[in-house]
Amino acid sequence: NTDLDASIKILKMFLHENSYVPWDAILFIVGQISYGGRVTDDWDRRTVMIMLGQLTRDEVLEPDFKFSPSGVYYPPPPGTIDDYKKYVNSLPLADDCEVF
């Protein structure tokens, strides 16, 4: 997945070259260029930017942060690949609309 690979490289570059997380720059590059460049409808691009905006902010780095009111969706703590797989496999097969 070249979009994902490019986004990961950009994220690493931003994080290694700055003493802070440049959320606005990350949001713009990923949302408008890496993924957003493939979105041709203005309303769809707006939706992508809003959804990415929920992921690219300081609060996601705080302990106990939740993406959803139910607490099902959260950024997992640092761990091993197996820890991340376990978290992903614990997610519901059918997402509630709260995640969107």
Side-chain angles (χ1 to χ4, degrees), residues 31-33 35-48:
Q32 295 288 354
I33 298 171
Y35 285 103
R38 295 183 183 271
V39 178
T40 57
D41 181 80
D42 288 338
W43 287 104
D44 289 345
R45 187 175 299 107
R46 180 179 173 187
T47 301
V48 167

Side-chain angles (χ1 to χ4, degrees), residues 11 15 18-23 26 53-67 74-78 84:
L11 180 61
L15 295 177
N18 293 288
S19 60
Y20 62 96
V21 180
W23 293 117
I26 293 168
Q54 297 299 311
L55 303 172
T56 54
R57 53 192 173 125
D58 285 330
E59 292 84 3
V60 301
L61 300 176
E62 294 176 8
D64 300 322
F65 176 81
K66 307 290 187 238
F67 289 114
Y74 58 89
Y84 297 126

Side-chain angles (χ1 to χ4, degrees), residues 67-80:
F67 289 114
S68 63
S70 70
V72 172
Y73 303 96
Y74 58 89
T80 65

Side-chain angles (χ1 to χ4, degrees), residues 4 17 20 38 55 75 87 96 98 100:
L4 177 59
E17 293 181 5
Y20 62 96
R38 295 183 183 271
L55 303 172
Y87 168 70
D96 288 335
E98 73 169 347
F100 301 104

Side-chain angles (χ1 to χ4, degrees), residues 85-96:
K85 287 180 180 178
K86 183 178 177 182
Y87 168 70
V88 169
N89 288 330
S90 76
L91 295 173
L93 293 177
D95 298 320
D96 288 335

